[in-house]
Amino acid sequence: MSRFLTTLCVVHDRCGRWVLSSPLVYHSDVAKQIIVAPFGFSTDFASVPRMPLAYLLFGGVATEPAVIHDYLYATGGLPRHMADAVLLEAMKTIGVPAWRRWPMWAAVRLAGWLFFGQR
């Protein structure tokens, strides 16, 4: 069963980044593996445009799944389509409603190629 095995713990560093203060561990049925975003990994959570309506609807909604997705994009640990599938699965796992998770997934499918492997 897909689930987070640890709790998200982050600190805000002096450069304005969010950094994991302990590993974030996720068991994914889709990827058939345990994914570990390590201590010290830097994230911006979900990259939601700061337009008022978009941010109101989608900002701060799926922080744990966003960290795992950022990690997979940064490392190329999985092919892009699989990393995006893990994001969708993880959002469902934490209870993000379908009307929020599907548009978020669609946005990363549409524009994620710009960021995959860029770290």
Side-chain angles (χ1 to χ4, degrees):
M1 183 171 96
S2 298
R3 63 191 171 106
F4 282 89
L5 302 176
T6 59
T7 303
L8 178 62
C9 297
V10 294
V11 294
H12 202 230
D13 73 8
R14 291 183 292 222
C15 297
R17 296 174 303 218
W18 292 102
V19 179
L20 293 182
S21 57
S22 65
L24 180 62
V25 182
Y26 178 67
H27 176 264
S28 172
D29 288 342
V30 165
K32 297 180 176 56
Q33 64 179 280
I34 292 176
I35 301 162
V36 181
F39 165 84
F41 178 72
S42 177
T43 181
D44 66 354
F45 299 119
S47 301
V48 176
R50 297 302 194 246
M51 296 178 289
L53 184 58
Y55 197 76
L56 177 68
L57 293 174
F58 303 108
V61 169
T63 53
E64 294 90 345
V67 171
I68 294 298
H69 189 253
D70 281 357
Y71 175 72
L72 292 172
Y73 262 46
T75 62
L78 291 173
R80 185 176 154 246
H81 75 278
M82 184 62 69
D84 295 347
V86 169
L87 172 67
L88 185 62
E89 171 194 53
M91 287 191 292
K92 184 175 182 181
T93 297
I94 66 165
V96 175
W99 68 267
R100 278 191 163 146
R101 72 176 176 263
W102 283 104
M104 292 174 76
W105 173 83
V108 299
R109 287 306 302 152
L110 181 66
W113 65 272
L114 295 165
F115 305 99
F116 187 76
Q118 293 297 308
R119 288 193 181 190

